[in-house]
Amino acid sequence: MEFREGLEPVSPTAQYFNSSALSVFILTVLEIEVPIINDIHAHAISLLKDLFLPINPRFSSVMVMDQKGDRQWKRVDVKLEDHINVPIFPAGLSPTSYDAYLDDYLSKVAMDHFPQSKPLWEVHVFKYPTSNAAGNIIFKLHHSLGDGYSLMGALLSCLRSADNPSAPLTLPSRPHTELESDNKSALAKAFQIFPLISNSLSDFGWSILKSTLVKDDRTPIRSGDEGVVFRPITISTMTFSLDRIKHIKAKLGLTSNDVITGIIFLGTRLCMQEISHESSKAHSTALVLLNTRMIRAYKSVKEMVEPDSEAPWGNRFAFLHVPIPKFKDPKSLDPLEFVWEAHKIIKRKRSSLDVYLTSRLLEIMKKLRGPEAVARYICGTLRNSSMTVSNMIGPIEKATVSKYPVKGLYFTTVGMHQNLTITIVSYMGNLRVTAGIEKGFLDPQKFRSCMENAFQMMLKAVDELPRRKTFI
């Protein structure tokens, strides 16, 4: 990587995500199992100084313009006190009351923008007991610092094993069979040169249209309004058993990601139909985030920042435009159709050259029109679709942060120019699904109920497979 005058160039994607048109953040919430002590401020400073800042120079840098007008990362002295927030609320209230305070506080944190004069991250300590935890620690990081893979790696570096606090967490990995299946499908497609070319051109052309001219229908999950990004959000989470996800996966012979995506698509359609029957057949698209690193497991942060790393730090992902399956006949709904449809579409798109061609298009656009034009193009991609879906693998074992045991964790993305975003992370045998929803637009309780109903419908359909007369 080239350096000029002690500065480090900002990657193109980082420029897109920190522009006048687009500013995206990642909120990660650690649910703490025991009460948070009053001197948590001192503990937080020690943790950040010893573990967080050394992870990557990005956490001690700000974006500046050099003499040529190019954006660069510039190292600065970090005043940790300016990055730690411990809000004060009335004492002695019920957990339910603090649930409302936490929801409002997360919405406020999500709406606040980072000042460009200091590094683009914050830590918030909510030390009041909610229905889910004795306290919450919130990490807010700008997406220009890295993608979910990079920032999850950074988080894992700050956590320790609850069973052995002196040892780091075991880095989770993707099951080998799932990776092998993906590679085989890609290899098979590569040998079928004509279908590969045809699919690639079709997908690439459709991606351009979806980013410019073709918009999803207005539905209960997409208002189509301008300025959605400036409106408050509410965050709703739900927990599913990974063992049950794997049970469905084994029955169908697919991947866990296929099952998860199918459940989300089914739950979303159920919610749309419950609010508006006509929307069950509306044209709606999900942007499914794809990690473009060809790796099976997390690498340590040290390995990520090495030159020519196979899992480099930064933003290495792409959007896949995936149509949300429609209800063919709501009276005889087959939940498994949503899993098979998700599997078919994502497998086909992962095996085309759409991601590569889109990347080249953005490079050309940047050279000809500058990073702001590319950011506006990405905004169009987000606005014209209905929601994003992002999935991360979290810690397998129980974790602690500064000796505080972590009961649960979840994350969400903010600033996506959409009414609804879905994020998923695994932790200790459970899958936490988070819905970031514009306040007052979609009832979070209704959406959660429909998602849980979709999960139960999927389980029932799988368990009835031996008695079913028709399948696929």
Side-chain angles (χ1 to χ4, degrees):
M1 185 172 287
E2 180 185 359
F3 289 81
R4 282 202 298 270
E5 301 177 357
L7 305 180
E8 182 181 350
V10 176
S11 71
T13 307
Q15 295 184 55
Y16 308 152
F17 279 114
N18 190 21
S19 63
S20 62
L22 192 63
S23 188
V24 182
F25 315 105
I26 299 175
L27 290 182
T28 300
V29 181
L30 304 182
E31 296 175 327
I32 305 304
E33 197 169 55
V34 299
I36 297 176
I37 58 177
N38 290 329
D39 62 344
I40 185 62
H41 199 275
H43 279 265
I45 287 179
S46 176
L47 174 71
L48 294 171
K49 180 180 179 182
D50 297 337
L51 292 178
F52 184 73
L53 290 185
I55 288 174
N56 194 295
R58 298 284 187 278
F59 300 141
S60 303
S61 303
V62 296
M63 280 192 191
V64 298
M65 289 283 190
D66 65 10
Q67 295 178 348
K68 295 184 178 181
D70 297 324
R71 282 193 167 192
Q72 306 280 329
W73 290 110
K74 179 183 179 181
R75 294 291 293 272
V76 296
D77 293 328
V78 181
K79 296 181 180 179
L80 291 174
E81 296 82 0
D82 295 341
H83 293 262
I84 302 173
N85 302 274
V86 185
I88 303 299
F89 297 105
L93 301 181
S94 67
T96 304
S97 298
Y98 287 127
D99 286 344
Y101 275 110
L102 177 62
D103 184 63
D104 290 342
Y105 188 72
L106 285 173
S107 181
K108 176 185 179 301
V109 170
M111 293 298 296
D112 291 341
H113 284 258
F114 285 116
Q116 297 294 309
S117 58
K118 67 179 185 179
L120 303 174
W121 60 269
E122 294 174 347
V123 176
H124 301 258
V125 181
F126 188 93
K127 58 183 182 179
Y128 301 91
T130 61
S131 299
N132 291 327
N136 292 266
I137 298 177
I138 305 154
F139 288 83
K140 179 182 179 181
L141 303 106
H142 202 285
H143 218 311
S144 61
L145 297 173
D147 58 11
Y149 178 90
S150 300
L151 299 178
M152 179 60 76
L155 175 62
L156 293 174
S157 298
C158 295
L159 301 178
R160 291 293 181 264
S161 169
D163 293 333
N164 184 8
S166 63
L169 285 175
T170 302
L171 296 179
S173 64
R174 185 179 175 186
H176 184 66
T177 53
E178 293 196 13
L179 181 75
E180 198 170 50
S181 170
D182 290 342
N183 284 343
K184 285 182 179 179
S185 65
L187 187 61
K189 283 290 185 181
F191 281 113
Q192 299 173 2
I193 186 66
F194 292 111
L196 174 66
I197 294 174
S198 175
N199 289 344
S200 298
L201 293 177
S202 174
D203 291 343
F204 179 55
W206 180 243
S207 294
I208 294 176
L209 288 173
K210 284 298 298 174
S211 297
T212 53
L213 300 175
V214 180
K215 300 179 181 180
D216 278 5
D217 295 334
R218 291 175 182 258
T219 66
I221 65 167
R222 180 181 180 273
S223 67
D225 295 343
E226 296 289 336
V228 167
V229 71
F230 302 112
R231 298 173 185 172
I233 67 168
T234 187
I235 296 173
S236 178
T237 72
M238 55 220 81
T239 303
F240 302 120
S241 165
L242 261 179
D243 285 341
R244 292 190 174 186
I245 296 287
K246 292 176 181 177
H247 170 67
I248 300 173
K249 163 193 163 183
K251 280 274 193 175
L252 300 182
L254 301 177
T255 69
S256 296
N257 281 342
D258 293 331
V259 175
I260 296 163
T261 306
I263 291 171
I264 289 171
F265 284 174
L266 174 59
T268 301
R269 278 293 181 191
L270 288 172
C271 185
M272 293 168 65
Q273 184 192 36
E274 191 170 317
I275 298 172
S276 169
H277 183 76
E278 294 76 15
S279 67
S280 63
K281 293 188 178 295
H283 179 72
S284 301
T285 306
L287 293 175
V288 178
L289 271 67
L290 170 69
N291 180 6
T292 58
R293 300 171 181 85
M294 297 303 295
I295 43 127
R296 191 170 72 87
Y298 281 103
K299 299 295 183 181
S300 68
V301 173
K302 182 179 180 181
E303 291 174 295
M304 288 186 202
V305 298
E306 288 178 352
D308 301 320
S309 170
E310 65 174 345
W313 183 281
N315 284 284
R316 304 297 177 102
F317 69 92
F319 292 122
L320 297 181
H321 292 83
V322 181
I324 301 175
K326 303 173 184 178
F327 285 157
K328 296 178 181 178
D329 183 2
K331 295 181 180 179
S332 57
L333 174 63
D334 184 354
L336 299 184
E337 289 182 359
F338 281 76
V339 179
W340 285 107
E341 192 68 18
H343 165 76
K344 182 177 70 175
I345 296 172
I346 293 176
K347 177 181 176 181
R348 175 182 176 276
K349 288 182 174 290
R350 284 174 66 100
S351 302
S352 82
L353 300 177
D354 176 34
V355 170
Y356 171 80
L357 294 173
T358 299
S359 175
R360 299 288 80 79
L361 173 66
L362 298 184
E363 287 181 9
I364 295 171
M365 190 181 299
K366 177 180 179 292
K367 289 179 181 179
L368 296 178
R369 301 174 57 193
E372 290 286 338
V374 180
R376 290 193 293 271
Y377 182 86
I378 295 173
C379 279
T381 302
L382 295 166
R383 279 196 298 262
N384 292 353
S385 59
S386 296
M387 66 180 189
T388 52
V389 180
S390 178
N391 186 13
M392 294 297 303
I393 301 175
I396 301 170
E397 60 197 297
K398 190 168 187 176
T400 64
V401 54
S402 189
K403 298 184 179 180
Y404 283 96
V406 178
K407 181 181 179 182
L409 68 89
Y410 58 94
F411 78 99
T412 190
T413 52
V414 182
M416 299 296 282
H417 290 265
Q418 295 173 323
N419 305 100
L420 172 66
T421 60
I422 303 292
T423 51
I424 308 143
V425 66
S426 58
Y427 179 58
M428 288 179 59
N430 286 316
L431 206 66
R432 195 73 172 270
V433 178
T434 302
I437 302 172
E438 178 191 335
K439 277 192 174 181
F441 177 70
L442 177 64
D443 182 356
Q445 295 301 324
K446 184 186 294 292
F447 185 83
R448 174 176 177 165
S449 175
C450 290
M451 201 64 64
E452 292 171 343
N453 187 27
F455 182 54
Q456 294 302 323
M457 290 171 65
M458 204 76 71
L459 279 172
K460 182 179 179 182
V462 162
D463 290 338
E464 291 178 350
L465 274 179
R467 300 192 299 272
R468 291 160 65 94
K469 295 182 180 180
T470 59
F471 184 59
I472 308 180

